[in-house]
Amino acid sequence: MHAATDLLLTRFLHDIRPAVPLVALWAHGSLAAGDYQPGKSDLDLIAVVETDLTEEQRQRLAKLHEEIVLPLAEHLHCSYMPKHRLGDFATEHVTWAHQELSERPVTPVTRRELHSGALELHGEPPAGLLPPVTDEELSEFIRADLRDFWLVKTRTRKLWLRDIWVDLGMITVARATVTLRDGRLITKREALDVLAELGAPMNVVADIRARRYGLPRPFLSRFRRATLARVFIRSAIRRALG
């Protein structure tokens, strides 16, 4: 593991164990899948806790996260799932992400990632605690996410001038297409290869790959990139849902 990342995770585990009744701590996403890029990838964590968090514990967690000043700390995201609520997909769990505490569900995609190959940092593995996700549940969630979130977002042109929307939109639609088609999850690196098969504009794919992996960037204005990405994503979503 990258040295700064290892130091951050070690420090984080040391700090949260006295702060909450910790049962298990797992990493998913790029770090667990082997496609982690320090400083660019998020550190996606799930902490299983023994009971619902009290308001005092929530405040303690917020303070704990705010006071971690190590490199990469701004990329650390963690959802805190009470052990007795692990089977409820609709439950919104206390989550630290983007430098603030909020509540959000832990999605079927994240749950499937955890079962497929979590990085176990503390406690029991996911298979011993987390109910499995059926193929139907996974497919239903992905279809709804494409239809109700991503397709809607393609109506707003100015969003696609930003790197984050282009990157996430293109990669998400490729990953979703493969999961709906084959029932498997793929990494972001694999998704960039799949985009070529889906007929994506290759100058946009090259731009994403260059920024993610530190390669020379092609010449492409952000206005042209926004149009190409938005048009492709709308088309690819309709095909995936068709």
Side-chain angles (χ1 to χ4, degrees), residues 15-181:
D15 287 353
I16 66 165
R17 290 182 70 180
V20 295
L22 187 66
V23 175
L25 182 65
W26 310 315
H28 63 100
S30 298
L31 185 63
D35 190 30
Y36 175 68
Q37 303 299 307
K40 298 176 182 177
S41 300
D42 289 329
L43 288 165
D44 297 313
L45 307 179
I46 297 291
V48 179
V49 293
E50 194 66 53
T51 60
D52 291 328
L53 297 180
T54 65
E55 183 58 32
E56 180 184 353
Q57 288 170 329
R58 289 170 61 109
Q59 292 177 7
R60 193 183 306 157
L61 278 177
K63 188 171 186 292
L64 181 155
H65 280 282
E66 289 168 355
E67 291 181 347
I68 297 177
V69 294
L70 293 173
L72 307 178
E74 69 274 17
H75 296 285
L76 191 152
H77 299 170
C78 187
S79 290
Y80 296 85
M81 302 178 70
K83 187 176 179 180
H84 64 287
R85 299 186 187 276
L86 293 177
D88 186 352
F89 287 17
T91 295
E92 293 189 337
H93 301 282
V94 174
T95 300
W96 177 266
H98 307 297
Q99 304 302 299
E100 64 179 7
L101 210 59
S102 62
E103 295 188 0
R104 63 177 66 171
V106 174
T107 70
V109 171
T110 294
R111 292 166 179 267
R112 178 62 70 88
E113 283 182 349
L114 289 167
H115 275 284
S116 298
L119 180 61
E120 299 160 18
L121 302 173
H122 174 77
E124 294 184 51
L129 293 171
L130 195 66
V133 178
T134 68
D135 290 343
E136 182 179 357
E137 289 167 334
L138 183 62
S139 175
E140 186 176 299
F141 170 80
I142 290 173
R143 293 176 68 84
D145 188 51
L146 291 177
R147 181 187 63 241
D148 302 335
F149 181 80
W150 286 104
L151 193 57
V152 172
K153 292 301 183 184
T154 61
R155 298 173 188 164
T156 307
R157 295 174 183 267
K158 65 180 181 180
L159 288 178
W160 301 94
L161 294 172
R162 297 172 56 192
D163 291 351
I164 186 66
W165 283 95
V166 172
D167 294 2
L168 281 179
M170 297 283 286
I171 287 171
T172 295
V173 78
R175 298 174 85 177
T177 297
V178 171
T179 303
L180 291 175
R181 184 184 67 199

